[in-house]
Amino acid sequence: MIEFKNIHKSYQVAGKAIPALHDTNLTVEQGEVFGVIGHSGAGKSTLLRLINLLERPSGGQLLVDGEDITRLDSAGLRVLRRKIGMIFQHFNLLSSKTVADNVALPMKLAGIYSKAEIKARVAELLERVGLSDQARKYPAQLSGGQKQRVGIARALACRPKILLCDEATSALDPQTTQSVLQLLGDINQELGLTIVMITHEMDAIRRVCDRVAVLDSGRIVEMGPVAEVFLHPQHPTSRRFVFESENQDEQELHEDFRHVPGHILRLTFHGEATYTPLLGTVARETGVDYSILAGRIDRIKDVPYGQLTIALIGGNYEEALKRFNAADVHVEVVR
Amino acid sequence: MNELFTNVDWADIWQATLDTFYMVGGSLVFTILLGLPLGVLLFLTGKRQLLEQAAFYNLLSFVVNVLRSVPFIILLIVMIPVTVLITGTSLGVAGAIPPLVVGATPFFARLVETALREVDRGIIEAAQSMGATTRQIVISALLPEALPGIIAGITVTAITLVSYAAMSGVIGGGGLGDLAIRYGYQRFQTDVMIVTVVLLLIIVQVLQMVGDKLVIHFSRR
Ligand SMILES: Nc1ncnc2c1ncn2[C@@H]1O[C@H](COP(=O)(O)OP(=O)(O)OP(=O)(O)O)[C@@H](O)[C@H]1O
Ligand SMILES: [Mg+2]
């Protein structure tokens, strides 16, 4: 659906070319939710804004629906942009227009819809995002979450195939974030819409994304299915994001465990395995004692996972390790 | 009442007030018609804007600054031949309008430019992401968003025009300023002076009040 082929992007600052995105290759499949995570200044917005050519690439090929969009003329570009909706961190709604008029705007600009069509579509969209009763209000009269819902409705007005989200939930409180992410996930399911979302919060990625790319100083340093990257991050940057999202500090944890006797393992369960009574069974059968040092059980998109750091003392450690390795669980020997 | 204002001819005052309205209203219409596009052009060709054109912007900006730095009283006199060419006379209401427009347009254009710059860049970006053309961005997004600022600019411009129009009395422009100068100043009829100044004050007050009301109405906050 979206393909970056050796795309790079530099900004001209005071006559010098400052690279923001180095040679980047990635493919976003039709209908998937693709996340990009990175620290401030990593180049996330740059990457996203290339997709609808708000920024022009300095080199490389950018395919959308198999078409090299860098070759489009201005009319072609406008048609392309109608196929790509976009929502923003600060919503970017027109304060001078009502909610309904904001949602109607892309259709009016397109100039190919009748008044009746626009009216019906606006009503349908506001219904979908749960704002039917707010249609005549102005954005200043809405809460942040409501504004972003208007933003989403507006982005969907011309029935786009792709939705770009630039830090769509970063200005919202956790609960509102949750409901907006839920809405995005539902829309992805219902409409088969391809979504590219950038964020600096691993939590947002974990909740809705299918795949994720980790961006660091203009380079993709890790990319893969969310469960893969989230549960087994390889690159230091990815690790930092994962630990941050769990309010843990990898270094600190290892410090804390220095005084814990025995062997330390990290067990990662994913899917149904999360609910098996593995720990108790192995302990009973091999005579090891265990204590749980750290742990979390949650969901990645809709699949449950668990991650436990445990200490094993006494009994038959070798046998216990063998049992864990044989089971449907990923084992990492910390010490 | 008439004993206090022995020199005041109320019919004259009424006519002069009407003339002031015509001068301010007429020149305001032309100032907006010319200044709005000029302000939009200044904004669009400015640094980092949609139609960035450094050379063009600098030239336009320079011309605007030159016109703004000429004292209005000088402009009034310098403009006389041009005014005669346009309206056939340099006197009365018709004669006052061209210099008023030339004096106020650059001023108003700057106010429009500033109002447009106040609009959040994100609005332009959102419009671009919808596939809007530059013209659509200006008409459907920028101008509506800048409307409160533009209305405030129109208010300030209208008030400036009231005082410019009074000044044009010096070259026989008509209106309340003309009365104030011919009777109040040259013939020492203080009562005429007071009446005209009070009327000018009322006009300014009303303009400011209406302007503020409209700004609040269109701010939608
Ligand atoms: N228009 C621009 N002109 C010059 N430099 C820019 C421009 N836009 C971005 N940059 C630079 O490019 C780099 C990447 O910026 P980008 O906005 O893509 O980062 P980001 O990951 O979105 O950061 P944030 O999380 O803060 O939004 C930064 O170093 C930034 O300073
Ligand atoms: Mg950004």
Side-chain angles (χ1 to χ4, degrees):
Chain A
M1 190 73 183
I2 304 168
E3 204 173 338
F4 282 56
K5 288 185 170 169
N6 298 317
I7 287 286
H8 60 98
K9 169 72 186 173
S10 304
Y11 289 106
Q12 292 293 330
V13 182
K16 276 199 298 188
I18 309 288
L21 201 61
H22 299 278
D23 256 17
T24 300
N25 289 288
L26 67 84
T27 305
V28 178
E29 303 296 341
Q30 155 92 48
E32 81 173 328
V33 185
F34 188 88
V36 178
I37 190 167
H39 288 292
S40 190
K44 305 183 294 291
S45 296
T46 302
L47 188 154
L48 194 75
R49 294 155 52 88
L50 285 167
I51 299 171
N52 59 359
L53 290 192
L54 284 180
E55 303 289 354
R56 291 216 149 247
S58 309
Q61 267 191 315
L62 219 171
L63 309 184
V64 171
D65 243 351
E67 187 182 21
D68 185 353
I69 60 170
T70 58
R71 294 163 184 271
L72 290 173
D73 59 7
S74 57
L77 180 57
R78 285 199 297 279
V79 174
L80 171 85
R81 283 176 175 167
R82 254 181 263 145
K83 286 197 300 188
I84 306 180
M86 189 168 192
I87 59 176
F88 306 86
Q89 177 173 6
H90 298 294
F91 323 121
N92 297 353
L93 301 177
L94 270 68
S95 63
S96 56
K97 294 193 191 297
T98 61
V99 165
D101 287 342
N102 265 285
V103 176
L105 186 60
M107 297 180 82
K108 283 188 184 148
L109 294 178
I112 52 172
Y113 301 97
S114 72
K115 276 214 164 78
E117 272 176 298
I118 295 178
K119 198 165 166 234
R121 179 79 179 139
V122 168
E124 177 192 349
L125 284 163
L126 288 181
E127 169 87 45
R128 179 62 194 85
V129 300
L131 290 176
S132 295
D133 48 346
Q134 315 283 333
R136 304 183 68 85
K137 285 195 176 168
Y138 288 91
Q141 298 166 295
L142 302 181
S143 71
Q146 289 174 323
K147 283 184 204 168
Q148 196 56 291
R149 285 168 184 276
V150 178
I152 291 170
R154 182 178 72 175
L156 297 178
C158 294
R159 303 183 191 275
K161 296 181 175 174
I162 299 172
L163 180 65
L164 307 178
C165 312
D166 189 341
E167 303 266 10
T169 57
S170 300
L172 305 176
D173 64 54
Q175 212 163 1
T176 315
T177 295
Q178 167 81 13
S179 76
V180 168
L181 289 176
Q182 178 85 43
L183 176 61
L184 289 175
D186 292 349
I187 287 168
N188 162 253
Q189 294 289 310
E190 288 164 28
L191 309 176
L193 192 70
T194 306
I195 298 183
V196 183
M197 54 182 279
I198 65 173
T199 175
H200 58 267
E201 294 161 333
M202 199 63 191
D203 244 20
I205 301 274
R206 180 172 62 80
R207 289 221 170 93
V208 282
C209 292
D210 298 305
R211 286 194 307 141
V212 61
V214 182
L215 203 59
D216 186 31
S217 312
R219 284 198 171 78
I220 293 180
V221 294
E222 194 164 350
M223 179 155 59
V226 172
E228 196 70 29
V229 175
F230 185 74
L231 296 176
H232 312 295
Q234 303 298 319
H235 192 272
T237 306
S238 325
R239 295 183 81 89
R240 215 163 40 238
F241 274 117
V242 171
F243 278 92
E244 245 167 47
S245 77
E246 304 196 326
N247 291 319
Q248 290 177 353
D249 183 308
E250 204 173 7
Q251 223 59 42
E252 236 170 58
L253 272 185
H254 286 173
E255 281 295 303
D256 291 350
F257 299 161
R258 272 236 310 272
H259 313 289
V260 177
H263 299 273
I264 297 180
L265 302 183
R266 194 208 311 276
L267 307 181
T268 306
F269 308 84
H270 190 214
E272 275 312 303
T274 310
Y275 301 134
T276 56
L278 182 67
L279 219 49
T281 314
V282 171
R284 199 167 53 246
E285 290 175 3
T286 62
V288 295
D289 264 339
Y290 68 87
S291 59
I292 296 174
L293 306 178
R296 166 172 181 147
I297 293 172
D298 212 323
R299 288 170 169 270
I300 295 174
K301 212 162 185 185
D302 300 319
V303 184
Y305 79 94
Q307 204 155 39
L308 299 177
T309 307
I310 60 171
L312 294 181
I313 307 157
N316 188 347
Y317 169 68
E318 303 302 329
E319 183 58 26
L321 196 57
K322 213 179 289 170
R323 293 284 190 101
F324 283 135
N325 274 322
D328 188 12
V329 53
H330 182 272
V331 185
E332 189 186 342
V333 180
V334 179
R335 189 185 75 200
Chain B
M1 181 105 160
N2 282 333
E3 279 150 43
L4 262 177
F5 301 104
T6 43
N7 300 311
V8 179
D9 178 338
W10 293 103
D12 269 3
I13 295 277
W14 176 238
Q15 186 55 49
T17 308
L18 279 183
D19 284 353
T20 296
F21 280 137
Y22 292 143
M23 282 192 289
V24 172
S27 53
L28 187 61
V29 168
F30 286 106
T31 300
I32 293 172
L33 286 177
L34 294 172
L36 195 63
L38 188 59
V40 170
L41 201 58
L42 277 168
F43 171 77
L44 288 177
T45 56
K47 215 173 160 70
R48 287 167 171 272
Q49 301 300 345
L50 289 170
L51 304 177
E52 181 171 355
Q53 282 288 340
F56 181 81
Y57 177 82
N58 290 338
L59 179 73
L60 203 60
S61 185
F62 180 72
V63 172
V64 164
N65 287 346
V66 167
L67 283 175
R68 286 190 60 192
S69 57
V70 176
F72 184 65
I73 193 83
I74 307 282
L75 195 64
L76 273 176
I77 296 159
V78 174
M79 281 280 296
I80 289 175
V82 183
T83 306
V84 172
L85 212 64
I86 298 174
T87 64
T89 172
S90 71
L91 299 176
V93 171
I97 288 180
L100 286 174
V101 172
V102 172
T105 296
F107 174 69
F108 179 62
R110 279 289 186 215
L111 295 179
V112 170
E113 184 193 6
T114 310
L116 291 171
R117 282 207 193 139
E118 298 274 301
V119 176
D120 190 342
R121 277 204 77 86
I123 297 290
I124 299 180
E125 214 158 83
Q128 277 181 313
S129 78
M130 295 170 200
T133 59
T134 303
R135 170 201 286 267
Q136 286 180 321
I137 292 174
V138 170
I139 293 174
S140 303
L142 280 172
L143 289 177
E145 286 296 286
L147 192 60
I150 292 173
I151 292 174
I154 292 175
T155 308
V156 174
T157 305
I159 289 171
T160 307
L161 281 171
V162 171
S163 74
Y164 278 6
M167 231 189 283
S168 72
V170 172
I171 59 155
L176 289 167
D178 189 36
L179 269 193
I181 287 170
R182 278 194 289 133
Y183 296 91
Y185 178 68
Q186 289 166 350
R187 299 183 198 167
F188 304 106
Q189 296 176 352
T190 313
D191 49 356
V192 176
M193 180 75 95
I194 291 174
V195 170
T196 52
V197 170
V198 167
L199 282 173
L200 287 172
L201 179 70
I202 291 172
I203 293 173
V204 169
Q205 284 282 0
V206 169
L207 282 174
Q208 188 68 58
M209 251 168 48
V210 172
D212 288 349
K213 279 248 155 61
L214 288 174
V215 169
I216 290 170
H217 175 75
F218 284 105
S219 288
R220 314 287 192 196
R221 297 196 189 279

